[in-house]
Amino acid sequence: MARIAVIGAGTGAMAAAARLAVAGEKVTVYERSASYGGSLGRHEHEGFVFDTGPGLLHLPAVQRDLFVKTGKESLEQSVTLTQVDPASRHLFADGTAVSLPNASRAGVATALDGALGAGSGARWSDFMDRARDAWDRSRRPLLEEPLRADHQVLGSDPYPAVRQRRLLRPARQAATVAEIGAWELADPRLAALLDGYALAHGLDPRTAPASAALLPYMEQTFGSWYVMGGMRELARAVYERCVARRVEFVFGAEVVRVVEKDGRAAGVELAGGEVAEADRVVLGVRPRPGLVPGQQVGGAGDVPVRAGSGAGAAGRFTVLLSLRGAREADAVHRTVVHSARGAAEQEAVFAGRVAGHPTVTVLRPDDPATRPDAEHEAVTLTATVAPQGPVDWRDAEVRQRFADVLVERAGAAVPGLRERILHTEIRTPAETEAETGAEGGAVPPPALAGADGGYLHPGNLTRLPGLYLAGGWAHPGGGLPHAGMSGTLVAGLVVEGDSFRGSR
C-alpha cells in the first residue's frame, strides 16, 4: 500500500483519488479551501441557489465510468441527471433566433433550416461530419491516453478542412475556428454559433485551431445534461464516493511545496511548516512558482502551452440574479445572446480589455432546489472576459458597469428581467483567483490538437519521479469531462506504471 498525497480537491483530483483508493492505495487529499469541488462551487442567498462554475455536463460517460469503477452505486443512483431539451437557444445580432434540440444531428439541421434559411442545416451538418472525422482521428491520443513524449504527433490538425479553389488566387483551407466560420459555414450566424463554442471554453476563435470543431461535436453528439440541485451535487457525489473508499481529506491545508528526496517526490510541505510524507504526489492544481522543485512539470517534453496560460488566457464574469416572478413554462434552460461585434469582443478579451458588447450565456434551470418557491427564479449570466490583472476586476465601478451590460443584453432572453431583480451577486476572475489560486482567475481550456502542439497541456507524468499532474491544468485540459479523464490517466500511471497507455 503506497501513500499518495493529492494536492487539491477539484473533480479531476478527486477522480484520481477515488480510483487510487479502490486500487488499495492510502490516499490523503490536501485542499487549501474549506470545501471540495474546485470550480463546481455554489452560492446561496435567501433561498436562491446558484452554481458558480459549469452549469451543464457534457460527455457524462466520463463520470459514469468513474462511478462504475469505484463502487456499486452508479452515477444515476448518486445524482439525478436530466437531459436539457432544447440544448440551447441562440439569439443572433440580426434578431434571428433558433432553438437546437439535444443530441439530435437531424433535429439541429431542421431547426437551422427553419430559422436561418434553406441550406443552413446542410452546411452545419457537413461541418459536423468533418468534426466527427477530427474526433475519430484524435480522440484516443488527445483524450484517452497520457500525453506521449513525442507529443508532436498531435501538432498536426486532424480537422479535414475543405480545400477551396479561387480564381487567380491560391486555394485556401481553414486553419482556425474563425476561418471555418467565414469560409465553410458562409453565414455570419452560423459563424457566430461556432465562435460561441470556442469562446465559451476560453478560446480565441481567431487563433484557436480548426480542431476546436470537436467542442460542438461533443456537445451535439453526447448531449447536454443538468444535475438536479445544481452541478455542485456532482462534486458532492464524487466527494462522498472518495470518502466511502476511505480517502482522507484535510481542508484548510495549503501546500506550499512538493518535497523532493533522493531525486523523487516524497511528500508535501504545508503552510504551517508541517511535512506530510508520501510515496507519490498528485498535483491537482495549476503549478505555481516554488510549488514544484525546479518546475519539473513538463514530463511529456516541453509542451508549448499557449491556450489558457499567460497572455491570452481568459476568465469568467458571472452575475447571479435572484428574481421575483415565476419562470415561464416555455423558458429555455440555456440561451446564448451572441454579440453583434464578435471580432471586437474577441480582440478585447484576449488583449486584456473589457468588451463593450459581450456574448452572454443565460442559464435558467427548471429546478425547485434553486429557488425559494415557484414564484421566484434563479438566473445566472456568464461572459468570457480577460483575467484579473490586465483588467482590475476588484474595481467596484468596473464590476458594476460590466454587470449592467450583461443584464441589459440578457433582457433579450428573460422577459422583464431588470424589473424582476431582487438581488444581484457579481463574481469575477478576481474571486476565481482568490478561491482557486489560479493566476488571474484564468479558466483552463480543453486541450486541442494542431497548432504545432501549442494548445496541449503539460503531461500527467512529470520529469520528477513520483509526481503526477491531474485536473484542468494538466493533459487533456479543462472542462468537467477532460478533468475527469486526467484523473483516470493519473490513476492508471500510478497503478500500472509509466508504460500505461490508457484503458481499452
Side-chain angles (χ1 to χ4, degrees):
M1 177 185 294
R3 298 167 300 173
I4 312 290
V6 178
I7 304 173
T11 54
M14 288 197 295
R19 290 176 182 272
L20 288 168
V22 167
E25 315 292 10
K26 179 177 174 56
V27 184
T28 303
V29 177
Y30 298 91
E31 167 57 46
R32 70 194 292 268
S33 72
S35 187
Y36 54 82
S39 65
L40 287 178
R42 171 179 286 167
H43 177 77
E44 301 182 28
H45 177 79
E46 296 182 351
F48 293 90
V49 177
F50 305 87
D51 288 317
T52 59
L56 290 171
L57 176 64
H58 306 294
L59 201 61
V62 175
Q63 278 71 29
R64 288 190 178 116
D65 183 70
L66 170 65
F67 279 78
V68 166
K69 300 293 176 55
T70 60
K72 295 181 179 179
E73 299 82 11
S74 67
L75 175 64
E76 279 78 0
Q77 290 174 305
S78 304
V79 297
T80 301
L81 281 178
T82 61
Q83 275 197 306
V84 175
D85 203 3
S88 57
R89 182 171 182 248
H90 296 266
L91 304 180
F92 298 105
D94 67 349
T96 306
V98 60
S99 292
L100 303 181
N102 198 349
S104 171
R105 288 275 305 277
V108 167
T110 299
L112 290 173
D113 274 341
L116 309 188
S120 299
R123 285 198 299 277
W124 184 263
S125 291
D126 289 344
F127 158 67
M128 291 296 284
D129 286 341
R130 294 189 290 276
R132 181 192 59 208
D133 290 345
W135 167 265
D136 291 339
R137 294 173 182 178
S138 63
R139 173 180 58 85
R140 184 160 182 80
L142 183 67
L143 302 177
E144 298 177 356
E145 295 180 349
L147 192 62
R148 294 163 49 175
D150 61 339
H151 64 270
Q152 290 81 4
V153 299
L154 289 170
S156 298
D157 200 312
Y159 178 77
V162 176
R163 184 174 175 82
Q164 299 178 324
R165 299 185 183 279
R166 298 184 295 170
L167 184 64
L168 303 180
R169 287 182 292 173
R172 65 185 182 186
Q173 289 179 282
T176 67
V177 169
E179 289 173 350
I180 292 175
W183 302 346
E184 295 183 4
L185 297 178
D187 182 312
R189 296 163 298 184
L190 291 178
L193 177 62
L194 176 58
D195 284 356
Y197 282 100
L199 195 62
H201 286 83
L203 296 164
D204 184 348
R206 301 168 305 165
T207 57
S211 63
L214 294 181
L215 303 175
Y217 174 80
M218 288 170 63
E219 179 176 318
Q220 293 190 10
T221 300
F222 304 112
S224 298
W225 302 76
Y226 174 70
V227 180
M228 297 301 291
M231 292 296 293
R232 172 72 177 177
E233 287 298 293
L234 177 61
R236 173 199 57 76
V238 176
Y239 168 73
E240 290 181 353
R241 177 56 53 89
C242 286
V243 172
R245 302 283 80 82
R246 297 185 174 157
V247 174
E248 180 182 356
F249 284 80
V250 184
F251 294 108
E254 182 177 3
V255 174
V256 297
R257 184 172 65 93
V258 174
V259 176
E260 179 182 2
K261 183 179 180 181
D262 299 328
R264 62 177 295 111
V268 297
E269 179 183 343
L270 304 181
E274 176 188 354
V275 172
E277 295 183 351
D279 301 299
R280 294 180 178 85
V281 176
V282 176
L283 182 60
V285 300
R286 188 178 190 180
R288 61 181 184 275
L291 181 61
V292 179
Q295 286 296 292
Q296 301 180 82
V297 296
D302 296 320
V303 179
V305 184
R306 287 198 293 253
S309 67
R316 298 286 184 270
F317 188 103
T318 304
V319 182
L320 311 177
L321 298 175
S322 303
L323 304 184
R324 65 169 62 88
R327 181 182 187 273
E328 314 94 78
D330 61 349
V332 174
H333 187 115
R334 176 177 54 166
T335 300
V336 181
V337 183
H338 293 274
S339 174
R341 306 169 197 149
E345 176 190 17
Q346 295 154 25
E347 169 65 27
V349 169
F350 296 98
R353 302 194 305 272
V354 179
H357 203 263
T359 296
V360 180
T361 297
V362 183
L363 296 180
R364 307 178 67 188
D366 186 10
D367 183 354
T370 65
R371 54 191 183 242
D373 54 53
E375 297 305 314
H376 294 84
E377 182 182 7
V379 171
T380 301
L381 316 180
T382 305
T384 298
V385 296
Q388 168 67 22
V391 175
D392 184 4
W393 291 115
R394 296 187 179 93
D395 185 302
E397 183 177 348
V398 173
R399 294 162 64 96
Q400 189 60 57
R401 186 166 59 243
F402 195 67
D404 287 342
V405 170
L406 263 62
V407 170
E408 182 66 26
R409 292 189 42 69
V414 184
L417 175 60
R418 192 173 292 277
E419 293 73 25
R420 294 176 58 193
I421 296 175
L422 293 171
H423 180 78
T424 300
E425 183 74 21
I426 300 172
R427 294 179 55 84
T428 77
E431 281 73 38
T432 303
E433 181 177 51
E435 294 172 5
T436 69
E439 182 181 356
V443 177
L448 298 174
D452 296 324
Y455 286 79
L456 301 175
H457 290 260
N460 312 104
L461 188 65
T462 74
R463 289 191 294 269
L464 180 63
L467 176 65
Y468 306 84
L469 303 185
W473 293 108
H475 178 74
L480 289 175
H482 295 73
M485 292 175 195
S486 78
T488 303
L489 297 176
V490 165
L493 287 167
V494 172
V495 174
E496 298 188 26
D498 295 357
S499 61
F500 172 72
R501 299 311 308 158
S503 300
R504 295 186 182 275

